[in-house]
Amino acid sequence: MLCDAVVSSQSTPAASPNRSFSPALRRSVQLGPSTLPRRPGLAPRTSSLSPSSFGPSLDRVPAAARLPNGTSLKHELGSAPVGDVTNPVEVLEGILGSLTAGDGEGADELSKQSDERPAVPTEEIDFKGLSLEDFANRAPGTEGDDVTPATAGLSVVEDFETEKEKFEDLHKSILACDEVLRSVETYLTSFRADLAAVSSEIEHLQDCSTQLNNKLENRKAVEKVLGPEVGAIVIPPAVVRKITEGTMDDGWVKALEELDKRSRIIEAKAKEGKDVKAAQDIRPFVEDVSTKAVERIRDHVVAQIKALRSPNTNAQVIQQNALLRYRNVFGFLSSRQPQLAEEISQAYINTMRWYYSSHFVRYKLALDKLSLYTIDQTDAIALDPASKRSAKSGNAHAIFSIGRRGDILRSSNDGALPSSAAEDDKTMHYLEAPFRAFNLALVDNASAEYSFLTEFFTAQPFQATNRKFTDVFTPTFQLGHDLLRHLIDTTLDALGVLLCVRLTQHSAFELQRRKVPAMDAYINATSMLLWPRFQQIIDAHCDSIRKLAASLPGKPAGSALALTASPANTQSTAPHPLTQRFANFTQGILSLSSEAGDDEPVSHSLGRLRAEFEAFLVRLSKGIADARKRERLLYNNYLLVCTILGDTEGKMAEELKRHFADRRDALNVDA
């Protein structure tokens, strides 16, 4: 037991030699239930410092950390110098006395005292307020000490035997603590190694981060310089896929514009001497994609041209929805394949020439079925209105009166007469009705076609567009002129011809507003047909008045308007019937020429007609012998003319009214 105590004391630092074991010090050691004095009836408690007392905390230590004794940390700690520690044997010898073989008497006495051990050990020793060392070193026989030295030594041994289990429990607890500390040491050592590795990794990551930042900055600098250049020539895959495989819609047009833009940039760089290798590498690819785009454009345009040849096709719908919507794509085709673009243009021109020609031929046939008033040579102004041939034209006065015919110039209905309505219409019309219907339809279609040509063939100059327009509408213009000749060649309807002139002028103004100069030739040719015919009709009326004047008294009575030789007719001063027709006819011409310029032949034609009429009145008045009646006859005729022309406006009307008023006022006749 002594050896165990010695071993146990070597495991822990010993107290200094000058330090005695006092009862207070012994009672202060409370390492667990085994260190407490045992009392009867109470089971000893296990030490709280046993390995099991560490519970899960010891289990949580990694297996690798629980290494056997002899770790580097322990050696490091063992190598550290330890302070002066008194040998435990010496301490015990100081307490128990010398146990060596030379001291046989003391040993025998100690053995004898041990044999006389009391049956019941003393539970408590009264140290008289002294420390353990002072209590052991006091002189025997001291007051209050009723124990002999031998008895005191025996009591210490008995106390040691009694406290042996406590020391063993303490020793085991210290060993468990040592094991735990070794595990903690291993764990901390491993943690320190791991921490060093993590630190190394962090340093490596910092280095990598610095390198990446440098590379990123360099990349940004390079991208800032090369980005626009590369982006200008690179064609996105989506654009290529859309052009080669996608349907032709607005997205397809945008993709084609993107391709054209990149292609132009590459060409511009080549012209500037910046033909870099990247541009050289991508140029064949761009050419292939452009060729594919040209093929698709060609197929689309040709398909739409074929659709125009289908029966009952509305050309303007196809032009707006299928061609003008993709007008930029044809410009792309023209820039890549000019010869192919010209062939497609010619095919379109031939198709539209056939389209307009065939449709207007049918429309002209429908207009030919309208019922028109017949006004021919038998309806001259000086001929007898009661004649049989003149009666075919209806009301004789309506031939020379403008009436409501001028409303056609102020009509708010700008739509052409449909061919089906023309075929079913059974009412009577004047010649200006079919002329207006045909030219309204022609102006509308020509304006739409010219607008299409200028927008679709944008890459072509102005003269080329006009030539295309002329090629398309030449047969249609010829149809319009043929219709006009058919209407005016044999007619003496001067008011109808003049109405056609005004309608033509209105068409010219409308074409100027719509900016369609390509129809100027047609307008000029139409005017060249109308004005000569108007003058011819005026000449025919002048001839008829001249012939009537020649048939006055003294001449053969070849006309119902000629004066008879009867005294009653000879003395009549009432206005002549010709005067009313002349005044109505002149009023109609003046009302249609209220805004006419001096460059028109109307003024000259009216001057000739007026001269012939005045010559007729003078010749008529000469048939009256009485001068007063002769003046009354002239006055009444001039008065009728002034009355009919009184509400007519315009420069020529004012001049003519003033002229006849002067003639009337020059006569010495009371009103």
Side-chain angles (χ1 to χ4, degrees):
M1 290 189 295
L2 184 59
C3 294
D4 294 338
V6 173
V7 173
S8 175
S9 63
Q10 288 178 352
S11 301
T12 57
S16 62
N18 298 325
R19 186 173 180 180
S20 61
F21 292 91
S22 66
L25 181 60
R26 186 170 60 250
R27 284 195 297 269
S28 65
V29 178
Q30 296 178 358
L31 297 178
S34 60
T35 61
L36 298 176
R38 296 182 184 177
R39 294 181 181 178
L42 295 177
R45 290 178 292 179
T46 59
S47 174
S48 60
L49 297 178
S50 62
S52 61
S53 65
F54 290 89
S57 61
L58 184 59
D59 296 337
R60 285 194 296 266
V61 178
R66 295 196 292 269
L67 299 176
N69 292 335
T71 59
S72 60
L73 182 60
K74 183 176 180 181
H75 290 297
E76 292 174 3
L77 294 176
S79 62
V82 182
D84 295 336
V85 180
T86 304
N87 192 345
V89 177
E90 295 177 358
V91 175
L92 291 177
E93 288 179 352
I95 296 173
L96 302 178
S98 178
L99 299 178
T100 59
D103 193 7
E105 181 179 359
D108 294 339
E109 184 179 0
L110 182 59
S111 174
K112 187 182 297 184
Q113 290 177 356
S114 63
D115 293 338
E116 297 176 355
R117 181 180 303 172
V120 179
T122 302
E123 294 183 0
E124 294 184 2
I125 300 175
D126 186 6
F127 287 88
K128 305 299 181 176
L130 301 176
S131 64
L132 180 61
E133 183 178 1
D134 294 338
F135 181 79
N137 295 329
R138 67 177 180 165
T142 305
E143 181 181 0
D145 186 7
D146 54 356
V147 181
T148 62
T151 305
L154 181 61
S155 177
V156 171
V157 174
E158 292 175 351
D159 289 341
F160 177 78
E161 290 293 335
T162 304
E163 299 295 334
K164 177 181 178 181
E165 294 181 0
K166 296 179 183 179
F167 290 130
E168 290 179 353
D169 291 340
L170 178 60
H171 178 66
K172 293 178 181 179
S173 299
I174 293 174
L175 292 178
C177 290
D178 190 26
E179 184 69 22
V180 172
L181 288 176
R182 280 197 298 272
S183 300
V184 172
E185 176 193 1
T186 304
Y187 178 78
L188 292 176
T189 303
S190 176
F191 177 75
R192 183 173 62 183
D194 293 341
L195 189 61
V198 170
S199 177
S200 177
E201 289 293 333
I202 291 175
E203 292 179 356
H204 177 69
L205 290 176
Q206 288 178 346
D207 295 339
C208 292
S209 177
T210 303
Q211 294 177 2
L212 290 176
N213 288 334
N214 294 334
K215 291 181 180 179
L216 180 61
E217 293 297 329
N218 296 336
R219 184 183 182 90
K220 287 181 178 179
V222 174
E223 184 178 359
K224 184 177 181 180
V225 178
L226 295 181
E229 299 294 331
V230 175
I233 62 175
V234 171
I235 302 176
V239 172
V240 178
R241 190 178 302 108
K242 183 66 175 177
I243 292 175
T244 56
E245 301 176 0
T247 58
M248 292 193 68
D249 51 12
D250 294 339
W252 196 91
V253 176
K254 292 181 180 179
L256 185 66
E257 292 175 352
E258 188 70 18
L259 174 65
D260 187 42
K261 176 182 176 181
R262 303 300 172 86
S263 178
R264 293 180 184 276
I265 291 175
I266 293 174
E267 293 176 358
K269 289 184 178 297
K271 292 180 180 179
E272 294 174 0
K274 299 179 180 180
D275 194 9
V276 297
K277 190 174 187 307
Q280 296 176 0
D281 295 340
I282 201 174
R283 185 178 290 111
F285 176 74
V286 173
E287 293 297 332
D288 294 340
V289 178
S290 301
T291 302
K292 183 63 177 180
V294 168
E295 293 177 359
R296 299 201 64 186
I297 296 170
R298 178 201 61 192
D299 297 340
H300 173 75
V301 176
V302 170
Q304 301 308 317
I305 293 175
K306 290 181 179 179
L308 292 171
R309 292 182 173 271
S310 302
N312 301 323
T313 299
N314 190 337
Q316 294 184 7
V317 173
I318 296 178
Q319 290 174 346
Q320 295 294 329
N321 297 336
L323 293 177
L324 276 183
R325 184 180 177 185
Y326 308 114
R327 57 181 176 270
N328 294 333
V329 304
F330 189 80
F332 181 85
L333 184 144
S334 300
S335 61
R336 295 299 190 277
Q337 296 291 337
Q339 183 63 31
L340 178 60
E342 185 63 28
E343 294 176 357
I344 294 176
S345 300
Q346 189 60 43
Y348 173 80
I349 291 172
N350 296 336
T351 299
M352 296 309 296
R353 182 192 298 120
W354 167 86
Y355 176 84
Y356 288 115
S357 178
S358 60
H359 281 74
F360 273 95
V361 165
R362 291 197 296 269
Y363 190 57
K364 179 179 177 296
L365 293 177
L367 294 177
D368 289 340
K369 296 180 180 180
L370 290 175
S371 299
L372 304 179
Y373 289 108
T374 302
I375 304 176
D376 53 15
Q377 299 295 332
T378 60
D379 296 309
I381 192 171
L383 294 182
D384 183 6
S387 63
K388 182 178 180 181
R389 295 191 62 188
S390 180
K392 293 181 180 179
S393 61
N395 191 347
H397 295 289
I399 298 175
F400 302 100
S401 177
I402 188 64
R404 301 184 62 180
R405 295 175 66 180
D407 294 343
I408 195 172
L409 299 175
R410 297 179 291 274
S411 177
S412 59
N413 184 15
D414 295 334
L417 182 67
S419 58
S420 58
E423 293 174 354
D424 299 336
D425 192 356
K426 303 301 180 183
T427 59
M428 298 296 295
H429 300 276
Y430 290 97
L431 63 88
E432 63 268 15
F435 177 82
R436 176 180 181 271
F438 186 90
N439 283 275
L440 278 178
L442 182 59
V443 168
D444 289 343
N445 284 272
S447 300
E449 184 62 28
Y450 187 82
S451 176
F452 171 79
L453 291 175
T454 54
E455 293 181 15
F456 189 74
F457 299 100
T458 54
Q460 298 180 356
F462 172 77
Q463 294 78 5
T465 302
N466 285 350
R467 286 195 298 269
K468 286 182 172 59
F469 178 85
T470 303
D471 292 342
V472 170
F473 278 96
T474 296
T476 307
F477 290 161
Q478 188 61 40
L479 280 176
H481 293 155
D482 293 343
L483 175 63
L484 180 60
R485 291 190 184 94
H486 172 72
L487 294 174
I488 67 175
D489 275 352
T490 59
T491 187
L492 286 184
D493 187 6
L495 294 178
V497 173
L498 189 57
L499 280 171
C500 292
V501 171
R502 302 309 178 203
L503 289 172
T504 302
Q505 292 174 348
H506 285 188
S507 298
F509 295 150
E510 182 64 20
L511 290 171
Q512 289 180 1
R513 186 183 68 82
R514 298 182 184 183
K515 298 180 180 180
V516 186
M519 280 194 70
D520 291 346
Y522 172 78
I523 297 297
N524 295 334
T526 302
S527 299
M528 293 299 295
L529 291 176
L530 290 172
W531 281 119
R533 184 56 189 168
F534 177 78
Q535 294 180 1
Q536 292 174 3
I537 293 174
I538 297 298
D539 291 341
H541 289 311
C542 291
D543 291 340
S544 64
I545 295 174
R546 193 181 305 114
K547 290 179 181 180
L548 179 60
S551 63
L552 290 176
K555 298 293 181 178
S559 173
L561 293 176
L563 298 177
T564 61
S566 62
N569 293 335
T570 302
Q571 301 300 322
S572 176
T573 59
H576 196 276
L578 177 61
T579 301
Q580 185 174 2
R581 293 197 294 271
F582 169 79
N584 289 333
F585 183 63
T586 304
Q587 189 271 337
I589 294 176
L590 292 175
S591 64
L592 295 176
S593 305
S594 59
E595 299 178 358
D598 297 334
D599 56 339
E600 289 188 352
V602 176
S603 178
H604 179 68
S605 298
L606 282 181
R608 291 188 292 110
L609 186 63
R610 183 200 65 198
E612 294 295 338
F613 172 70
E614 291 177 353
F616 168 75
L617 290 181
V618 172
R619 186 70 180 269
L620 179 63
S621 63
K622 289 180 179 180
I624 300 176
D626 189 352
R628 297 189 57 163
K629 290 185 177 180
R630 187 166 53 249
E631 291 182 357
R632 172 62 67 176
L633 174 64
L634 294 175
Y635 180 85
N636 291 338
N637 282 275
Y638 290 144
L639 179 61
L640 178 60
V641 173
C642 290
T643 301
I644 295 175
L645 299 180
D647 296 333
T648 308
E649 299 178 354
K651 181 180 179 181
M652 285 190 296
E654 295 298 330
E655 293 177 356
L656 200 59
K657 285 190 294 183
R658 186 166 52 251
H659 172 79
F660 281 108
D662 293 342
R663 287 298 183 96
R664 178 197 62 194
D665 296 340
L667 297 174
N668 188 14
V669 177
D670 296 334

